[in-house]
Every structure is written in structure tokens, then in C-alpha cells.
Amino acid sequence: MSYIAVVTGATRGLGRGIAREFGAKGATVVVTGRNETELADVSAEIAERGGKPLAIACDHSDDELVADAFARIKQEAGGIDILVNNAAAVHATDLMTPGGFWEKPLHLADMIDVGLRSNYVAAWHAAPLMAKAGKGLIASISFYGGVSYFHGAAYGAAKAGTDKMMADMAVDLAPHGVAAISYWPGFILTDAVREMPADMLPPDIRESLPNWETPEFSARVIDALYADPELISLSGQALIGAELAQRYGVKDLDGKQPISYREAMGGPHEPFTSAAGAKA
């Protein structure tokens, strides 16, 4: 299936792997990010895998730049089939530092701006294009931290907020045939983690690495979700990637079946109910 996919924050980590695997599916892949050199690199990876890249330098904390980016997408790509909201202001070292939220730098709250608000802004621009076409999927990256303590208050607020926001967007989008979901990956074997010497990793992480997902796995699952004729019935939900993979028979690049962390870290809430009584 050929489609146009937009992946925000695609210069590294999960977003980069999603973008290049969409390329392997033959998609037109629009990638955004702040670093133009890294945008060029991920564009080359998309093209090497058979996709058609369109790189747009964009700081998702700047609404004017985001508006310009989506205007360019409309002009050059003609529309959007899949939007993956992945951009996030993650200060990883500070997030993982022990201590209460007040003992950590205030900039951790940036994730509520770029990571929650930025998802809203990108969806706001994408929704009219999808609604006009009568189809589409908005998938915002979330995590188990939306329902359990993981990296503290700012992280939890961004993820829980994303889950509820997508549920509410789904209500508005349903009459237009467009789906909106929160997507929960597992722990990600990013390029940076793969390149890290094993002796630099804590023992517990070294032991768990075989269960970590490649970032490409998430693209495989989202691709299968988009192709599901029952997609709209899942709209409004927070969905665990590993569980969707079992539903669709999707496996990781190395052939493994990634695991769900529902039992250890909690599962998504039941679909929220709208004021009119319909489930989002």
C-alpha cells in the first residue's frame, strides 16, 4: 500500500527508525527535525530502502515554523495519510536522575510543550487534509508512563495527556473517517543504544536488551494498523504496539515477537466516554 506518512522528530531514535521502515514500505515519508545534517542522513536511509523522502527543518516549539512545514507538505506531497507525532523535548539524563520533580531542572516541563502541545498543533494542521480525503491515521507516541510512575511528573503528564487528547480528537474525527490513537512502543533499541559498548550499560539493561524493540518494529505495526479495514473501531484508544503486532502477525526485524509490559507497568485505560455517551 502506497501512502504519505509524516514523522515528526525523525532525526534520531524511534522516529528515525519509523521513518526509514516506512521507506521500506515504499511510502512517501516526510521527516521533520531541527538538525539539517541528520535530516539529510535519514532522507538517504529512506531513499536507500525504496521510499521517497521529503525533509523539512522544523522546531516543533515554534508554531509558525510548524504551520510553514504543513503548508509545504500540502503543496509538495498533496496530503497526509499517516501522521506519527514523535517529536518530544526529552532531556534523558535529567529525567533519569534520582530525586523529586522539584529537585530536577525545570526544563523537564518542556516535554509538556514539545511532546504534548506539539502533538496537538501538528494534528491541528493535519486533520483538515485528512478530513477532506475522508481517511487517515494520527498516531501519537505515548508510553506506559501515562498510567504508572516512569521518569516523574512531567513525563507522566505528557503521556497521560496525549492519551486523553487522542481520545477526544477521535470523537471529532470519526464523522470524517479519520482515526486517532496513542501508540505505546516498548523499550527501544535505538541506533545510539546499539552503538554503546556493552560494558557501559547497567547490568539490568544488558540483560533485558534481547527484549527491546527496534524502532522499525513500530513502523511495521503502524503500517499494519493503517491497512486494517477495522481501523476506525480502534480510534480513540491507547494501543500497545506489541499487542497489535500479535493481532496482525507482525514481527521485529530479527524475527522476534516483542513483549507487552502491561502486566509489569500497567495497561491503557478503557476507552474514554464522551459527554454524549459514545465511546471515543
Side-chain angles (χ1 to χ4, degrees):
M1 181 189 301
S2 179
Y3 49 76
I4 300 165
V6 177
V7 185
T8 69
T11 55
R12 62 185 69 182
L14 178 62
R16 184 162 179 162
I18 289 174
R20 60 191 177 216
E21 186 64 13
F22 279 156
K25 299 295 183 181
T28 296
V29 190
V30 183
V31 288
T32 71
R34 294 180 298 173
N35 188 304
E36 294 193 19
T37 299
E38 291 176 339
L39 281 172
D41 290 343
V42 68
S43 294
E45 292 171 356
I46 292 165
E48 287 168 4
R49 288 160 175 77
K52 181 180 178 182
L54 172 59
I56 302 177
C58 180
D59 181 343
H60 281 270
S61 69
D62 186 322
D63 288 353
E64 289 187 10
L65 291 180
V66 176
D68 290 345
F70 277 88
R72 185 176 167 193
I73 292 167
K74 181 179 180 181
Q75 180 180 12
E76 297 189 28
I80 303 170
D81 297 307
I82 300 173
L83 168 64
V84 178
N85 278 319
N86 174 73
V90 179
H91 304 283
T93 301
D94 292 328
L95 273 177
M96 294 184 285
T97 299
F101 70 91
W102 66 95
E103 298 172 299
K104 300 179 183 182
L106 186 57
H107 65 216
L108 290 182
D110 291 350
M111 195 171 185
I112 300 172
D113 184 19
V114 181
L116 176 54
R117 186 181 183 280
S118 62
N119 290 350
Y120 184 97
V121 175
W124 188 87
H125 286 286
L129 301 177
M130 293 179 168
K132 183 178 180 180
K135 65 181 179 67
L137 169 63
I138 301 174
S140 292
I141 302 300
S142 189
F143 196 65
Y144 299 84
V147 297
S148 61
Y149 186 91
F150 189 82
H151 290 335
Y155 187 94
K159 297 309 183 185
T162 291
D163 293 347
K164 182 60 167 70
M165 183 171 68
M166 301 312 291
D168 288 353
M169 286 182 176
V171 174
D172 293 342
L173 290 167
H176 305 281
V178 179
I181 62 107
S182 277
Y183 180 87
W184 293 15
F187 294 99
I188 305 299
L189 190 64
T190 64
D191 297 340
V193 172
R194 272 196 294 254
E195 292 168 3
M196 193 174 294
D199 58 4
M200 290 183 63
L201 296 169
D204 57 334
I205 291 181
R206 283 203 305 271
E207 292 173 7
S208 67
L209 280 182
N211 291 323
W212 287 30
E213 304 168 4
T214 68
E216 287 85 353
F217 172 73
S218 290
R220 290 184 169 191
V221 176
I222 293 170
D223 172 80
L225 176 65
Y226 180 67
D228 188 344
E230 302 299 322
L231 168 63
I232 204 69
S233 70
L234 298 173
S235 188
Q237 299 185 41
L239 302 170
I240 295 173
E243 295 177 1
L244 282 176
Q246 292 180 352
R247 170 177 176 147
Y248 297 127
V250 173
K251 294 189 177 180
D252 210 338
L253 296 182
D254 60 3
K256 72 172 177 291
Q257 194 75 59
I259 62 174
S260 168
Y261 295 90
R262 178 188 292 270
E263 188 172 332
M265 301 180 69
H269 294 292
E270 289 298 312
F272 296 96
T273 301
S274 73
K279 284 194 173 181

